[in-house]
Amino acid sequence: MVTKLRSNGSRPAGVELSPLDPAAISQMVETQDAQTADLRLRMESDYGLYLLEAPPQEEGYTKFTSNEPQVFADKILSWLANANLVIRFPLGQKPREHRERDDRKEQFIQGLLKWVDENLADLALPGLREQLSFFIVLRGLFAGRALFIKTGDGTTKLEVMPWDPLYTYWGMGKDGLVWACYKMRRTGLELRDEYGVDLGDNDEGYEVLDYYNRYQNALIHEGRCLVAPQMHYAGRVPVFLGAVASAPPIMRRDSVDRAGPTKHYGESIYKPLRNTYRTFNETMGYYATLVRLSVEQGLILYSPTGAKKLKGGDPRRAHTVLSLATTDKLVEMPMMEMSREAGAFVGQVSGEMQRGSLSHTSYGDLQFAISGIALSLLRQGNDAAIQPRVKALENAYSQIIRMLCQQYATGGFAPVDLRGSTQRKGWFADSYSEVDAQDSQRRPLAPVIKIVPVLPQDDAAKFAMAQMARGGKTPLLPHREILDKVLEYQNVDAVLDMIKEEQGEQLSPLAALATLIEALKKQERWDLAGYYERDLERMMQEQQAAPPAPPTGGLGKAPVGPPGLAPSVLPGAMMGMPPPVPVPQGELPLRPPGAPRPGALSEQGRLARMGMVPGR
């Protein structure tokens, strides 16, 4: 029988534990539930908007429920789920050895997150990002548990489980969480399999409290511990908790309902839209009522006494036969019409909904042609809806990663085998041991966590910026800084090595030809490979037969000539100097045939220079 809770090590030195009082813990949960009733009521109401629950409507009127709340929330959830999760250690001026260690830590974190998603998938639950995004968008808060656990056979297990903030309770101290508790409902089978507790089976399951303080974990049901409390050895409360960054808890003095300070803490995506949705649904309900009445228009029956009633069925239905006396008359009531101001009012309310959510262009709805600048401005207006949720999701991942890495850095866990893909979709599979943990303890993990909702034009803008920073005679930034700061690549050194590898294949003609031959052989083009192999052999023979280049004395030194001869008496060709460039004929004046060469001596002048006078 399994009788242990989540435990991952031995008792820390110097820690004295006080016994837990399950009844007192249950009372703390009930007290905070009452203090935060307004917050939890708001969460329930917002979730009803997402489920498109029909609003209350006056009797006799048609109910109308817009799908705007669900479509709006699903759009934000889609952006968060498909955004890029960037986990990077800034390069700075670190030596390559430290940069390679940081790259390994990035892969370690990516592998942990991959492991978490696999565990959640085994439980038939959405991934970590999807669950956190759902709670952040619709609840306005996020919470959950993050623990490394030692199993009975000495292996390491990872548990990261998001909690529904509606059923999460906590106590905050000066240094953070003092305790946290999650109220959950478990079936008898789940309790037996996970905790070894047999409470029997019933249709509704059992309500239990999963309680954590800084040292212990307890499972409580109806004021008693189902399993003996266990140490969790996380060094802190192993729970991450946060809210959408809208406003801190504020207590109002003039509040009519005397709402608590948490009522507007961590607002959901529907913060500016709750009353607008209600007004829009009511107005559209009146429109729907008029449409229904236009089909079933009222009738007036005139009779001598006014007490006569129609017999034979509704005359507005097909194949209906009525019998009326000559003094009776049946006419339709005048058509009911909406006020002329109703259309303008609905348009105003629709505009308020758009300003509080997303522009219609986000859904691809363009009713008229607009310029690219106007389209960009409309898209920028979406930041007010998505950026606070992006910051909250970054905060959640930062807390989870910091908690897990601090636990693993203690060195008390067996090596773990991790796999996953990096930011640039590069696959890796590796084992991380205590050596990595000790290095992380010496140099704490402090990665930069970013959630980047990427549109197709964003990548193009980044590459254009990188090209401008690298272009020109004098680049604005070095190549490593461009890859790290502008393109935000992971493992920049590996990218630079791949660039140099490609350059190595192209700069040398022999290397380029050898690479081409290898590719042809892989494609089984043996005929073409044979041609190029003969060319490669010829080029190598010519290179070996070529005379070696004359040695030089090094930078700034005189050339070294053959022994016994001074370099000053050597011809220019032996010194490695190029031959003089002949002057083209076209640059000298043309000489007619038979004319003396310009500057040439006559016969007498030549004899006189030699000391010989003609006729002597």
Side-chain angles (χ1 to χ4, degrees), residues 400-575:
I400 294 170
I401 291 170
R402 187 168 66 249
M403 252 186 280
L404 294 179
C405 292
Q406 287 175 352
Q407 294 175 33
Y408 187 75
T410 60
F413 299 95
V416 292
D417 295 325
L418 301 176
R419 59 187 181 276
S421 58
T422 62
Q423 176 200 353
R424 308 309 300 179
K425 310 306 179 186
W427 182 259
F428 69 90
D430 207 347
S431 176
Y432 296 82
S433 61
E434 295 180 358
V435 177
D436 306 287
Q438 295 171 2
D439 179 70
S440 299
Q441 196 171 17
R442 291 193 303 268
R443 302 177 62 246
L445 287 162
V448 176
I449 310 295
K450 290 183 66 177
I451 302 292
V452 185
V454 178
L455 297 175
Q457 63 269 21
D458 293 338
D459 283 338
K462 281 187 177 182
F463 281 105
M465 187 183 302
Q467 191 66 29
M468 288 188 294
R470 188 62 181 169
K473 295 182 179 179
T474 305
L476 299 177
L477 292 173
H479 210 164
R480 180 178 286 109
E481 288 292 309
I482 293 174
L483 293 175
D484 181 46
K485 301 293 179 57
V486 180
L487 298 179
E488 296 181 334
Y489 279 9
Q490 289 178 326
N491 203 345
V492 172
D493 289 321
V495 177
L496 291 175
D497 290 342
M498 288 187 288
I499 293 176
K500 293 173 183 177
E501 179 188 1
E502 290 186 354
Q503 292 176 345
E505 294 176 351
Q506 300 172 359
L507 292 179
S508 171
L510 293 177
L513 197 54
T515 305
L516 177 62
I517 293 172
E518 183 180 359
L520 289 173
K521 288 182 177 180
K522 289 182 179 179
Q523 299 296 324
E524 298 184 357
R525 293 301 305 273
W526 310 109
D527 50 347
L528 294 178
Y531 298 149
Y532 287 112
E533 282 181 339
R534 288 192 290 271
D535 291 342
L536 180 61
E537 293 175 359
R538 177 179 53 79
M539 292 174 63
M540 296 180 64
Q541 291 174 359
E542 292 177 354
Q543 187 176 17
Q544 293 174 359
T552 61
L555 186 63
K557 297 182 181 180
V560 179
L565 295 176
S568 58
V569 302
L570 294 177
M574 295 186 65
M575 299 293 294

Side-chain angles (χ1 to χ4, degrees), residues 151-213:
T151 60
D153 57 0
T155 58
T156 302
K157 183 180 178 182
L158 177 62
E159 276 197 10
V160 176
M161 180 62 65
W163 290 349
D164 187 350
L166 180 63
Y167 300 104
T168 301
Y169 305 88
W170 65 90
M172 196 71 67
K174 63 183 182 66
D175 296 326
L177 285 174
V178 177
W179 65 272
C181 182
Y182 184 56
K183 183 187 293 185
M184 55 186 180
R185 188 167 293 277
R186 291 290 182 266
T187 64
L189 174 62
E190 291 172 336
L191 291 175
R192 286 193 299 270
D193 184 70
E194 186 173 359
Y195 302 104
V197 177
D198 191 359
L199 296 180
D201 293 316
N202 59 20
D203 297 334
E204 298 180 356
Y206 299 93
E207 188 177 89
V208 294
L209 301 179
D210 192 11
Y211 172 82
Y212 295 86
N213 60 20

Side-chain angles (χ1 to χ4, degrees), residues 245-507:
S246 55
I250 293 178
M251 179 73 80
R252 297 181 58 186
R253 296 182 60 183
D254 58 345
S255 178
V256 177
D257 56 1
R258 296 295 179 186
T262 59
K263 179 177 181 180
H264 303 288
Y265 175 63
E267 283 283 3
S268 73
I269 200 75
Y270 300 130
K271 174 185 175 182
L273 296 166
R274 296 184 184 102
N275 294 330
T276 306
Y277 284 149
R278 187 178 300 110
T279 302
F280 183 78
N281 287 333
E282 288 178 356
T283 307
M284 294 303 296
Y286 298 144
Y287 267 106
T289 301
L290 287 180
V291 173
R292 179 174 59 84
L293 291 177
S294 66
V295 177
E296 299 179 357
Q297 192 171 346
L299 302 173
I300 301 177
L301 176 59
Y302 294 96
S303 63
T305 61
K308 186 173 182 178
K309 296 182 179 180
L310 289 177
K311 295 181 180 180
D314 190 343
R316 291 165 298 193
R317 300 291 184 262
H319 309 292
T320 300
V321 179
L322 296 178
S323 298
L324 297 176
T326 57
T327 57
D328 300 334
K329 183 171 64 173
L330 182 66
V331 297
E332 290 183 350
M333 293 180 61
M335 181 70 68
M336 297 180 63
E337 295 183 358
M338 204 71 169
S339 172
R340 290 180 299 176
E341 291 78 11
F345 177 72
V346 171
Q348 182 67 27
V349 174
S350 179
E352 295 286 344
M353 289 170 55
Q354 183 177 183
R355 281 187 287 273
S357 57
L358 300 174
S359 65
H360 292 170
T361 58
S362 302
Y363 307 103
D365 183 10
L366 290 177
Q367 299 181 358
F368 50 86
I370 60 176
S371 65
I373 297 178
L375 191 59
S376 299
L377 292 175
L378 289 174
R379 285 174 175 165
Q380 290 176 3
N382 298 336
D383 290 345
I386 191 173
Q387 285 304 320
R389 281 82 206 170
V390 169
K391 296 297 182 183
L393 190 57
E394 291 174 352
N395 182 15
Y397 270 102
S398 179
Q399 290 188 42
I400 294 170
I401 291 170
R402 187 168 66 249
M403 252 186 280
L404 294 179
C405 292
Q406 287 175 352
Q407 294 175 33
Y408 187 75
T410 60
F413 299 95
V416 292
D417 295 325
L418 301 176
R419 59 187 181 276
S421 58
T422 62
Q423 176 200 353
R424 308 309 300 179
K425 310 306 179 186
W427 182 259
F428 69 90
D430 207 347
S431 176
Y432 296 82
S433 61
E434 295 180 358
V435 177
D436 306 287
Q438 295 171 2
D439 179 70
S440 299
Q441 196 171 17
R442 291 193 303 268
R443 302 177 62 246
L445 287 162
V448 176
I449 310 295
K450 290 183 66 177
I451 302 292
V452 185
V454 178
L455 297 175
Q457 63 269 21
D458 293 338
D459 283 338
K462 281 187 177 182
F463 281 105
M465 187 183 302
Q467 191 66 29
M468 288 188 294
R470 188 62 181 169
K473 295 182 179 179
T474 305
L476 299 177
L477 292 173
H479 210 164
R480 180 178 286 109
E481 288 292 309
I482 293 174
L483 293 175
D484 181 46
K485 301 293 179 57
V486 180
L487 298 179
E488 296 181 334
Y489 279 9
Q490 289 178 326
N491 203 345
V492 172
D493 289 321
V495 177
L496 291 175
D497 290 342
M498 288 187 288
I499 293 176
K500 293 173 183 177
E501 179 188 1
E502 290 186 354
Q503 292 176 345
E505 294 176 351
Q506 300 172 359
L507 292 179

Side-chain angles (χ1 to χ4, degrees), residues 3 6 63 84 95 106 120 231 237 243 418 562 593:
T3 59
R6 296 167 181 87
K63 291 184 178 181
N84 286 338
E106 290 176 3
L120 293 174
M231 295 280 290
V237 180
L418 301 176

Side-chain angles (χ1 to χ4, degrees), residues 32-259:
Q32 201 203 33
D33 186 80
Q35 292 174 345
T36 57
D38 293 327
L39 171 65
R40 301 177 195 279
L41 183 63
R42 190 206 73 200
M43 290 183 186
E44 288 278 49
S45 176
D46 289 345
Y47 189 56
L49 284 175
Y50 177 75
L51 295 180
L52 304 182
E53 293 180 352
Q57 186 64 283
E58 298 179 26
E59 186 178 355
Y61 292 91
T62 303
K63 291 184 178 181
F64 178 87
T65 305
S66 172
N67 67 347
E68 170 73 15
Q70 192 173 97
V71 175
F72 172 38
D74 286 344
K75 188 69 173 179
I76 301 297
L77 289 172
S78 173
W79 281 346
L80 293 178
N82 296 322
N84 286 338
L85 173 60
V86 181
I87 301 173
R88 296 172 50 252
F89 287 84
L91 293 179
Q93 301 298 323
K94 301 175 185 176
R96 173 147 188 167
E97 179 184 0
H98 288 180
R99 296 199 303 268
E100 291 178 350
R101 290 179 181 176
D102 288 344
D103 293 337
R104 186 169 172 81
K105 293 174 185 177
E106 290 176 3
Q107 291 185 352
F108 172 70
I109 295 171
Q110 295 282 4
L112 289 181
L113 298 179
K114 174 71 173 177
W115 192 4
V116 170
D117 286 339
E118 291 176 351
N119 292 341
L120 293 174
D122 291 339
L123 298 174
L125 293 174
L128 178 63
R129 175 103 64 96
E130 287 75 11
Q131 292 194 54
L132 290 175
S133 300
F134 186 85
F135 293 133
I136 287 172
V137 169
L138 297 178
R139 301 296 200 201
L141 291 90
F142 62 85
R145 177 187 69 240
L147 266 177
F148 271 112
I149 301 172
K150 280 186 175 179
T151 60
D153 57 0
T155 58
T156 302
K157 183 180 178 182
L158 177 62
E159 276 197 10
V160 176
M161 180 62 65
W163 290 349
D164 187 350
L166 180 63
Y167 300 104
T168 301
Y169 305 88
W170 65 90
M172 196 71 67
K174 63 183 182 66
D175 296 326
L177 285 174
V178 177
W179 65 272
C181 182
Y182 184 56
K183 183 187 293 185
M184 55 186 180
R185 188 167 293 277
R186 291 290 182 266
T187 64
L189 174 62
E190 291 172 336
L191 291 175
R192 286 193 299 270
D193 184 70
E194 186 173 359
Y195 302 104
V197 177
D198 191 359
L199 296 180
D201 293 316
N202 59 20
D203 297 334
E204 298 180 356
Y206 299 93
E207 188 177 89
V208 294
L209 301 179
D210 192 11
Y211 172 82
Y212 295 86
N213 60 20
R214 290 171 178 167
Y215 305 107
Q216 293 176 290
N217 169 219
L219 189 70
I220 301 171
H221 171 65
E222 295 182 350
R224 64 186 181 91
C225 290
L226 295 180
V227 180
Q230 298 287 329
M231 295 280 290
H232 56 69
Y233 307 102
R236 52 172 293 177
V237 180
V239 172
F240 54 92
L241 176 70
V244 175
S246 55
I250 293 178
M251 179 73 80
R252 297 181 58 186
R253 296 182 60 183
D254 58 345
S255 178
V256 177
D257 56 1
R258 296 295 179 186

